[in-house]
Amino acid sequence: MEASSSLRFQVSGFSLPKIWLCLFLVLVLQNCSPALSDSPYLVGMGSYDITGPAADVNMMGYANSEQIASGIHFRLKARAFIVAEPNGKHVVFVNLDACMASQIVTIKVLERLKARYGDLYNENNVAISGIHTHAGPGGYLQYVVYIVTSLGFVRQSFDVIVNGIEQCIVEAHNNLRPGKIYVNKGDLLDAGVNRSPSAYLNNPAEERGKYKYDVDKEMTLVKFVDDESGPVGSFNWFATHGTSMSRTNSLISGDNKGAAARFMEDWAEQNGIPKQAAHGNHGGLESLHMTSGLPRRVSSIIPEPNEITDDLVQMASSYEASGGRRLSGSSITRRIRSPQQNRPKFVSAFCQSNCGDVSPNVLGTFCIDTGLPCDFNHSTCNGKNELCYGRGPGYPDEFESTRIIGNRQFQKAVDLFNSASEEIQGKVDFRHTYLDFSQLEVNIPTSTGGQQVVKTCPAAMGFAFAAGTTDGPGAFDFKQGDPKGNTFWRLVRNLLKKPGKDQVQCQAPKPILLDTGEMKEPYDWAPAILPIQIIRIGQLVILCVPGEFTTMAGRRLRDAVKTVLTSDNSGEFNNIHVVLAGLTNTYSQYITTFEEYQIQRYEGASTLYGPHTLSAYIQEFQKLATAMVANKEVPTDFQPPDMLDKQIGLLPGVMFDSTPHGVKFGDVSSDVPANSTFSKGSIVNATFYSACPRNDLLTDGTFAFVEKLDGSNNWVPAYDDDDWSLRFKWSRPSRLSSRSFATLEWTIPEDAPSGVYRLRHFGASKPLIGSIEHFTGTSRAFAVL
């Protein structure tokens, strides 16, 4: 009996206390392991500088050949999130502070990812989307029509974007940690209006009656939470154009969405978001209501405010301009804000959606000669489209309009971020295919209830394309809503390529101005092979489209895909959130509804593949959704062309830089006044003898610092050219001059600490013979009281 009892409580040398200890340890490990229980995903965030050449390069968006970059409003970034199932599928979404994605950029990024990671990241599970700023350098797309105004392909623009995308994905991959994702939605009412209301009104009244507004007002936000560090980022989708900055602006800028991203990342850093609770935390909202209306953006190593005394002014007067001096390299110019060691960087992206007919110029459209509202149907003033402009909320200050629209998106995003409580759960999945949109067969319903087969067309742009929009009007005698065109411009068109009868009929009622799909010299003018893609993360479904959908076109596509997914009887797709990510993976201009196309405003004239373009998208996305539900693969018979080796670039390089005799690069040309003091809200500027910014883009660096004197008489960087408050402006005395100037303009924030400051410029000069040399120089010091 005793022997048998001993066997019961002693197994393989383990006594009863040891067995209970093992069981206890197993339970503890199970409860403490987020990868096994709490967190269904791995999440990773990353970002990198893609600012590009800040001089000489035409900006992408307005197609205005006179809009040439000459400085930086604030820097551009590529931002990425990666979500993965542990030991399962990965998806990558990249948001660019650029006008749009580019097919050749996507191709080359995927090649780099394959070299790094093998087949882990590929065309199926990587999406690259643009915010649609019209204030970034152009020349990085491969089709002729999109690089004409930039004098062809600009290798610097292309390289910095490809590298930035790769680096932000690498960072996100290296940051993959167990984590959770939350989703939230809410309406933002005052950040967009319909700029083509007459076309929208041509949609069926019954359909329009289902919606309260003629633009989408809903923002959808996803919040990423690292199990160890807390919240590490957010991405949101909301539809409004990146045209708060006008067609005459020459400073590189992320426009309203780039500004919103800056504001939210600064707010997160200021409030220590990665250390806060995972969700439902409303702390930090008070920072939205400061005098400046924006989060504080200042180096964390700035000391406490100095006491305001005469000694402060006297101290400032003792520091004269330093004079220019050479540097051994550009590493000294790295930006002042970088993540702390062992702490993830907070990444926030404001992504674009179906913005095709949505303008941020919410005050309406007015004639610049009379101040009266523009013509409703054609957006003209006395028959002239170039006199009709939309007005932003900060009119006439475009920087203020950008700030206001960006701040409105930022505030809504913070509200959604803090209140997000719906956790995303479910599979990570994706579907992708390439299609030839120049000849795609589409089944559409007939009026009798049957089916009819129609086809899309080779790409073509209508006369109203040249009229532009109320965000950036065109020139000459073009106007929106023109169903005919005119004889003179038809003759000009025919010199390039006269469209054939079949093309004219296929594109009708669009009068063809440029038959881009059939223009092949020196290489393709417009794309034919386009990607479409669905990314799924649990109940979040992202529709990745290579163009700008109008409001109603986006609604129809979302509804069609949602209907397919929710028809699954398993309940797997219940409560899904479907968002549309515009301008993704490549660019093919606009997509309107069939009814909007008939009106031939700018968006209809820019719908490349004819009146059935939207129907083609809906049909093919339904196929992707059906395959996703059935867990089947989607074959593709096409691949987009890689035309990198064919690209022609006519933008001349920098020959050399020079200064007047006896003057060094970095010397001050126009200094801050001696013995000067400034109050908060004042503007301080200084101008330096400089060199062309194309000599070194100073990627992930800066051309400008505001430095503050600390208590140990050391100059501490406080603001740089990625700050809203500091602008870097570059100029030449004449177009072909080898001399140039850099003006640093600082608007002193309301929350800037009082003290002694100075402005510092960095640059790189190119001699006639020899290698590029880096330089720096500082202004005279001044007091901020």
Side-chain angles (χ1 to χ4, degrees):
M1 219 73 170
E2 291 179 1
S4 63
S5 298
S6 175
L7 277 174
R8 270 201 306 267
F9 296 112
Q10 190 167 341
V11 181
S12 301
F14 278 86
S15 64
L16 180 61
K18 289 183 179 179
I19 292 175
W20 281 112
L21 178 62
C22 289
L23 290 172
F24 175 76
L25 289 173
V26 169
L27 289 172
V28 169
L29 288 172
Q30 284 181 335
N31 289 330
C32 293
S33 175
L36 292 174
S37 59
D38 290 343
S39 299
Y41 304 115
L42 301 175
V43 297
M45 316 295 291
S47 65
Y48 201 78
D49 185 12
I50 59 167
T51 301
D56 298 332
V57 176
N58 181 250
M59 289 182 166
M60 182 66 202
Y62 286 116
N64 175 17
S65 60
E66 297 179 358
Q67 189 188 14
I68 306 298
S70 61
I72 297 174
H73 179 206
F74 58 89
R75 286 186 168 260
L76 310 181
K77 281 188 179 180
R79 297 173 171 89
F81 73 72
I82 299 178
V83 175
E85 299 169 329
N87 303 314
K89 291 183 176 180
H90 291 56
V91 292
V92 183
F93 190 93
V94 180
N95 187 63
L96 302 177
D97 285 346
C99 194
M100 66 280 291
S102 157
Q103 186 66 75
I104 191 61
V105 167
T106 301
I107 289 171
K108 296 307 175 185
V109 168
L110 293 175
E111 287 179 0
R112 292 193 181 192
L113 294 178
K114 184 173 180 61
R116 280 183 179 270
Y117 302 111
D119 294 328
L120 183 61
Y121 301 118
N122 54 64
E123 63 193 16
N124 297 309
N125 65 350
V126 176
I128 302 172
S129 182
I131 62 170
H132 212 37
T133 175
H134 286 42
Y140 63 93
L141 290 90
Q142 70 173 350
Y143 296 101
V144 173
V145 74
Y146 305 133
I147 55 176
V148 169
T149 56
S150 61
L151 299 180
F153 193 71
V154 180
R155 188 74 196 212
Q156 271 191 321
S157 293
F158 170 80
D159 285 342
V160 75
I161 292 176
V162 171
N163 184 65
I165 296 171
E166 179 190 20
Q167 292 304 317
C168 78
I169 292 174
V170 169
E171 184 176 272
H173 178 84
N174 292 339
N175 286 336
L176 280 172
R177 306 276 194 286
K180 297 179 181 179
I181 309 171
Y182 299 86
V183 63
N184 202 1
K185 299 191 294 188
D187 285 348
L188 173 58
L189 301 181
D190 53 0
V193 296
N194 198 304
R195 70 183 187 188
S196 288
S198 59
Y200 181 88
L201 288 173
N202 205 46
N203 291 308
E206 181 181 358
E207 182 181 34
R208 287 186 281 112
K210 295 190 297 183
Y211 304 98
K212 187 175 181 180
Y213 305 104
D214 61 0
V215 296
D216 283 342
K217 302 287 189 179
E218 188 172 72
M219 176 184 286
T220 301
L221 178 140
V222 288
K223 173 179 178 178
F224 300 94
V225 180
D226 183 312
D227 280 354
E228 182 177 339
S229 303
V232 289
S234 68
F235 276 53
N236 70 72
W237 290 264
F238 177 78
T240 193
H241 246 78
T243 49
S244 292
M245 301 296 290
S246 74
R247 67 196 299 272
T248 61
N249 163 64
S250 64
L251 299 184
I252 289 175
S253 173
D255 209 277
N256 57 70
K257 285 190 175 291
R262 289 300 186 282
F263 300 159
M264 190 155 184
E265 287 176 347
D266 296 340
W267 168 82
E269 180 180 344
Q270 173 186 328
N271 287 279
I273 290 299
K275 296 181 180 179
Q276 291 183 3
H279 64 87
N281 182 5
H282 293 267
L285 275 174
E286 65 276 3
S287 67
L288 299 178
H289 306 294
M290 298 183 303
T291 306
S292 64
L294 298 176
R296 182 183 182 193
R297 186 157 172 79
V298 63
S299 174
S300 59
I301 57 177
I302 289 295
E304 290 300 311
N306 300 83
E307 294 184 8
I308 302 174
T309 65
D310 292 338
D311 291 341
L312 196 65
V313 179
Q314 184 176 354
M315 185 180 299
S317 66
S318 66
Y319 289 92
E320 295 295 326
S322 67
R325 62 183 179 89
R326 292 184 182 180
L327 299 173
S328 59
S330 61
S331 60
I332 194 172
T333 69
R334 291 188 65 81
R335 289 210 297 270
I336 59 178
R337 276 161 300 277
S338 58
Q340 298 177 9
Q341 287 187 347
N342 302 320
R343 175 181 166 186
K345 174 171 59 180
F346 189 91
V347 177
S348 180
F350 286 68
C351 310
Q352 196 55 268
S353 191
N354 52 322
C355 67
D357 53 359
V358 188
S359 170
N361 296 312
V362 295
L363 298 187
T365 60
F366 298 88
C367 299
I368 60 175
D369 55 344
T370 65
L372 298 174
C374 305
D375 171 76
F376 181 77
N377 289 318
H378 303 291
S379 296
T380 56
C381 301
N382 296 319
K384 296 182 178 181
N385 73 287
E386 60 264 36
L387 299 177
C388 177
Y389 279 86
R391 293 180 180 176
Y395 176 82
D397 184 345
E398 64 189 296
F399 293 94
E400 181 64 5
S401 290
T402 301
R403 186 195 67 80
I404 292 171
I405 296 297
N407 198 43
R408 288 172 180 174
Q409 292 177 77
F410 156 60
Q411 292 197 38
K412 173 52 67 173
V414 169
D415 177 49
L416 295 176
F417 181 89
N418 281 334
S419 60
S421 59
E422 179 185 343
E423 185 176 352
I424 288 180
Q425 296 177 323
K427 290 182 180 178
V428 171
D429 205 357
F430 44 82
R431 292 296 184 276
H432 174 284
T433 192
Y434 290 110
L435 301 164
D436 185 352
F437 265 77
S438 69
Q439 52 180 353
L440 193 61
E441 291 189 349
V442 186
N443 289 291
I444 61 171
T446 64
S447 57
T448 59
Q451 289 286 316
Q452 176 187 2
V453 177
V454 295
K455 293 184 72 173
T456 55
C457 324
M461 299 191 294
F463 275 69
F465 160 79
T469 71
T470 55
D471 292 334
F476 304 111
D477 52 353
F478 296 101
K479 65 180 181 181
Q480 297 192 69
D482 181 1
K484 297 180 180 179
N486 64 54
T487 302
F488 173 75
W489 289 110
R490 288 179 188 276
L491 291 172
V492 173
R493 170 202 69 188
N494 292 345
L495 293 174
L496 293 171
K497 174 70 174 68
K498 181 179 180 179
K501 181 180 178 181
D502 289 345
Q503 175 75 325
V504 171
Q505 291 178 345
C506 186
Q507 291 278 354
K510 177 197 293 178
I512 297 173
L513 175 64
L514 290 173
D515 190 14
T516 53
E518 299 181 317
M519 297 167 69
K520 305 294 182 180
E521 298 296 335
Y523 40 87
D524 291 356
W525 279 56
I529 309 301
L530 300 179
I532 62 171
Q533 182 181 36
I534 299 179
I535 286 177
R536 179 195 173 191
I537 306 168
Q539 65 265 41
L540 175 70
V541 176
I542 306 171
L543 310 182
C544 303
V545 297
E548 303 175 59
F549 276 60
T550 61
T551 298
M552 194 64 85
R555 288 167 174 169
R556 290 185 189 177
L557 178 62
R558 290 198 307 261
D559 288 348
V561 171
K562 188 170 185 177
T563 297
V564 172
L565 295 177
T566 55
S567 65
D568 175 39
N569 293 326
S570 69
E572 183 180 349
F573 292 92
N574 290 349
N575 303 316
I576 60 171
H577 305 276
V578 181
V579 297
L580 187 148
L583 307 121
T584 302
N585 294 328
T586 189
Y587 184 62
S588 59
Q589 292 171 255
Y590 285 75
I591 300 92
T592 64
T593 67
F594 179 86
E595 295 82 1
E596 291 165 349
Y597 187 90
Q598 309 306 307
I599 302 301
Q600 279 299 295
R601 284 182 63 91
Y602 175 82
E603 295 82 12
S606 303
T607 297
L608 295 185
Y609 308 104
H612 303 295
T613 300
L614 175 60
S615 296
Y617 273 102
I618 290 174
Q619 171 183 283
E620 299 304 319
F621 264 99
Q622 285 176 321
K623 292 179 182 178
L624 289 190
T626 300
M628 182 170 282
V629 170
N631 198 27
K632 294 182 178 179
E633 298 302 316
V634 180
T636 183
D637 297 325
F638 303 101
Q639 286 292 325
D642 178 344
M643 300 189 294
L644 185 59
D645 292 340
K646 297 182 179 180
Q647 295 302 307
I648 298 172
L650 301 178
L651 179 70
V654 180
M655 297 300 293
F656 67 96
D657 300 287
S658 68
T659 59
H661 181 69
V663 173
K664 301 187 297 295
F665 290 107
D667 281 355
V668 176
S669 168
S670 176
D671 207 350
V672 178
N675 303 313
S676 55
T677 61
F678 297 89
S679 58
K680 312 297 174 60
S682 300
I683 298 176
V684 186
N685 55 63
T687 300
F688 299 82
Y689 289 97
S690 191
C692 184
R694 286 196 287 153
N695 293 326
D696 187 334
L697 303 183
L698 299 186
T699 300
D700 215 28
T702 184
F703 290 99
F705 268 156
V706 175
E707 296 179 319
K708 184 178 183 294
L709 193 66
D710 69 7
S712 303
N713 290 327
N714 296 316
W715 290 101
V716 179
Y719 301 87
D720 63 21
D721 66 10
D722 196 27
D723 277 292
W724 183 268
S725 64
L726 180 60
R727 298 176 191 172
F728 163 65
K729 299 180 177 180
W730 181 83
S731 62
R732 286 191 179 100
S734 63
R735 186 171 184 178
L736 300 179
S737 176
S738 60
R739 297 179 182 176
S740 63
F741 299 92
T743 297
L744 277 54
E745 181 181 284
W746 184 41
T747 302
I748 303 173
E750 296 293 336
D751 52 11
S754 298
V756 177
Y757 291 84
R758 69 181 182 184
L759 306 179
R760 178 184 288 274
H761 170 48
F762 293 99
S765 63
K766 181 179 181 180
L768 186 59
I769 300 174
S771 58
I772 289 173
E773 299 173 338
H774 293 86
F775 63 87
T776 187
T778 67
S779 73
R780 177 184 288 122
F782 54 92
V784 172
L785 305 180

